[in-house]
Amino acid sequence: MPEQSAHTQSVTLSLPLEERWTLHHVLLDRIEQERTATDPTTIDPPPVEVFQAFETLDTGHTRFTIAQLDAIQTVLAAYHHSPTWWELERPQLEALLHHVSSAIDGREPAVSAD
């Protein structure tokens, strides 16, 4: 059986509603950073996988490719270390980082893989 790439292999995350909303808000905020920045030339646009993951989540689904999970993990890590108002969301960010990291590593118990 051929090995699936990070762009085709997908997993479903089982996330509590609070974590889904936190992830939705973090991804949306990251997508809008360039548009809302005082100097947009200092902000790199997010990778396409961030947009794809946001669209997936926005339609009520939690099945992501490994490439999307990698992009989510990068965004979550950046927000987790940010001194902004995300400090209030730190417990959800930590839980999300754990879920995503476990899914990428194939350790997430509440994940079904393709």
Side-chain angles (χ1 to χ4, degrees):
M1 180 190 280
E3 188 174 316
Q4 294 180 327
S5 77
H7 292 281
T8 59
Q9 182 183 3
S10 64
V11 293
T12 299
L13 294 179
S14 178
L15 300 174
L17 187 58
E18 301 83 23
E19 289 179 25
R20 281 188 190 202
W21 276 111
T22 299
L23 181 57
H24 185 271
H25 290 303
V26 167
L27 294 176
L28 180 60
D29 187 69
R30 176 59 186 100
I31 289 168
E32 292 183 339
Q33 273 183 359
E34 189 178 20
R35 183 180 61 80
T36 60
T38 306
D39 182 6
T41 61
T42 63
I43 307 288
D44 288 331
V48 69
E49 290 84 5
V50 171
F51 289 96
Q52 293 167 339
F54 176 78
E55 289 174 11
T56 297
L57 198 59
D58 201 43
T59 60
H61 302 285
T62 58
R63 187 168 200 79
F64 304 101
T65 65
I66 298 301
Q68 290 168 352
L69 289 173
D70 284 336
I72 289 170
Q73 184 180 41
T74 299
V75 172
L76 288 172
Y79 279 77
H80 182 260
H81 294 99
S82 171
T84 64
W85 68 273
W86 293 105
E87 183 96 11
L88 300 173
E89 302 290 333
R90 190 161 311 279
Q92 284 86 4
L93 290 172
E94 288 174 356
L96 281 165
L97 272 169
H98 173 74
H99 284 298
V100 171
S101 298
S102 295
I104 290 169
D105 294 341
R107 297 176 288 140
E108 180 67 32
V111 171
S112 62
D114 273 354

